[in-house]
Amino acid sequence: MSRLPAGTMREAVIDTMAITENVRHLRRLTDAEVIAVVKADGYGHGAVRSALAALAGGATRLGVADIGEALALRRAGIDAPVLAWLHAPGISFAEAAVAGIELGISSFEQLLAASDAASGGRPVTVQLKLETGLGRNGLAPADLPRVFAEAARLERIGRLRVIGIFSHLSNTSADEDRAALARFQDALALAARHGLTPSLRHIAASHAAIDLPEARLGCVRIGIAMYGLSPFPDRTSASLGLRPAMSLRAAVAAVRRVPADQGVSYGYTHRTDTETTLALVPLGYADGVPRAASGGAAVRIGGATFPVAGRIAMDQFVVDVGDHPVAVGDEAMLFGDPTLGAPPVEAWADAAGTINYEIVTRIGPRVPRTARGSSGNESAARGVRTE
């Protein structure tokens, strides 16, 4: 019977070598430059450790949502190129420019703000984000002539350096994605007519990078797949050659033998059918375990799988282990690598009516992350400053 170290209540174990190997595998598969996406604290895995592991696997650039995330990577000593693409209204780009952060530009106003951040004869590096049908942020098609013309002018006078143009696909269907790709290609041609010659063009994230080769364009953004999870509802990680990097587990905190018709947890949505044993798992929705999975998810204890009984509470939930011998301190595995016998994270996602992305990303800060494995000499990873 597996047990957690003494004094450990709960933990998420992060296999950094899995991240490294996943990136290496995807880089070979796509034959493209890899932007490793480490936004949202590396999808819950830890932004810095994930960035280091991805760089060790051959990623050459990093992607985050906002400037605060990018600056945190810089403070950790990571010098690899970092792109941040979601900005607060009216934000100043001065600090980001000094730190050498690449700015994703989604409006004419952001373009001018980036230019204003240039100083000392040093241009600000930008990537222009285009709206190609997802309906989110990005330069609107009607604005492209004006933005491209001004970006080219600002580049000529040394205020900006336009290093990339990018967009995002909906993953609705191959046909929808190809239509968006065609719109993107038309926009790239328009940019070229205005004198813009960016070295990077990217529209494929994990889904299209794996499944739509024509969308790779020499550069892909890898998010969920680098953490070893499948972006497809009908394909497993293993079938894609990926290894899940996060395992979530806790130590059984209490064991209680109860009679038939025992109510369990709030609202007594579950009552025992017969005399049975209940085990208490000290993880709850405050830790990111979804309450919506109450009564539908399961955990693995001692090589057997047991259902969640009743409602998941803020700090804990109960599983019905029947007559199985379970003791306080035994490991309760919520999810991990199915090839090693752990339940898949997708089982929790299905029980909660959501996707694997959300389950791992929402694991909260109260859950300690324990890094396992080795990404090689991390201090020597490409783009990482050594002291």
Side-chain angles (χ1 to χ4, degrees):
M1 183 77 73
S2 296
R3 297 176 66 85
L4 271 67
T8 300
M9 182 181 292
R10 57 179 86 88
E11 69 174 351
V13 180
I14 310 301
D15 185 342
T16 57
M17 181 54 75
I19 296 174
T20 296
E21 292 173 350
N22 291 333
V23 170
R24 188 173 291 133
H25 168 66
L26 291 162
R27 189 163 172 263
R28 285 194 300 262
L29 174 70
T30 62
D31 191 27
E33 183 171 0
V34 170
I35 301 173
V37 181
V38 295
K39 63 181 180 177
D41 197 31
Y43 289 44
H45 294 68
V48 172
R49 73 170 61 90
S50 297
L52 292 171
L55 292 166
T60 55
R61 319 179 77 86
L62 303 171
V64 295
D66 60 52
I67 288 171
E69 294 175 317
L71 293 174
L73 295 175
R74 287 287 185 260
R75 288 192 293 270
I78 295 175
D79 283 343
V82 182
L83 169 66
W85 55 71
L86 191 62
H87 312 301
I91 192 172
S92 167
F93 291 134
E95 186 177 10
V98 170
I101 305 302
E102 297 174 2
L103 301 172
I105 300 299
S106 291
S107 70
F108 188 76
E109 291 72 24
Q110 289 179 1
L111 185 74
L112 298 182
S115 174
D116 290 343
S119 62
R122 180 182 180 183
V124 175
T125 303
V126 302
Q127 296 198 36
L128 305 179
K129 185 173 186 184
L130 312 184
E131 156 58 355
T132 56
L134 197 57
R136 304 195 311 191
N137 67 324
L139 297 162
D143 293 337
L144 294 184
R146 180 171 71 139
V147 173
F148 288 164
E150 182 64 4
R153 186 188 73 83
L154 292 170
E155 190 167 54
R156 286 195 301 271
I157 65 175
R159 304 290 295 180
L160 297 179
R161 184 166 68 104
V162 182
I163 193 173
I165 297 178
F166 70 110
S167 188
H168 207 311
L169 296 170
S170 71
N171 305 331
T172 303
S173 68
D175 287 343
E176 292 279 9
D177 284 351
R178 288 189 178 102
L181 177 59
R183 290 189 285 270
F184 185 63
Q185 297 280 23
D186 288 344
L188 291 174
L190 179 63
R193 291 197 294 273
H194 280 84
L196 295 175
T197 57
S199 59
L200 298 172
R201 303 169 302 154
H202 49 104
I203 193 171
S206 292
H207 189 290
I210 293 169
D211 220 33
L212 197 66
E214 61 264 43
R216 292 169 185 165
L217 304 179
C219 183
V220 295
R221 298 186 306 272
I222 301 298
I224 196 68
M226 81 178 237
Y227 304 103
L229 300 182
S230 172
F232 306 101
D234 57 350
R235 280 184 262 179
T236 66
S237 298
S239 72
L240 298 174
L242 303 173
R243 187 152 60 90
M246 179 188 288
S247 299
L248 180 65
R249 62 182 190 163
V252 171
V255 176
R256 176 168 282 107
R257 191 73 178 172
V258 300
D261 203 36
Q262 168 72 51
V264 180
S265 195
Y266 294 121
Y268 286 177
T269 58
H270 177 85
R271 291 180 181 272
T272 57
D273 293 328
T274 61
E275 181 181 349
T276 190
T277 299
L278 302 177
L280 185 67
V281 179
L283 282 163
Y285 58 79
D287 306 300
V289 176
R291 186 174 182 271
S294 299
V299 302
R300 194 161 182 82
I301 304 173
T305 301
F306 304 105
V308 174
R311 287 182 178 154
I312 295 169
M314 185 179 291
D315 312 297
Q316 56 200 278
F317 63 87
V318 175
V319 294
D320 187 334
V321 301
D323 297 324
H324 196 85
V326 173
V328 170
D330 288 349
E331 176 191 88
M333 178 69 73
L334 277 70
F335 60 78
D337 185 349
T339 66
L340 300 179
V345 68
E346 288 79 12
W348 278 85
D350 291 344
T354 186
I355 55 176
N356 52 11
Y357 298 66
E358 183 179 354
I359 299 297
V360 293
T361 302
R362 72 188 297 171
I363 300 304
R366 192 167 68 172
V367 180
R369 270 64 167 177
T370 303
R372 299 281 172 82
S374 171
S375 298
N377 184 0
E378 289 187 343
S379 67
R382 186 183 316 195
V384 181
R385 184 169 59 244
T386 56
E387 300 297 330

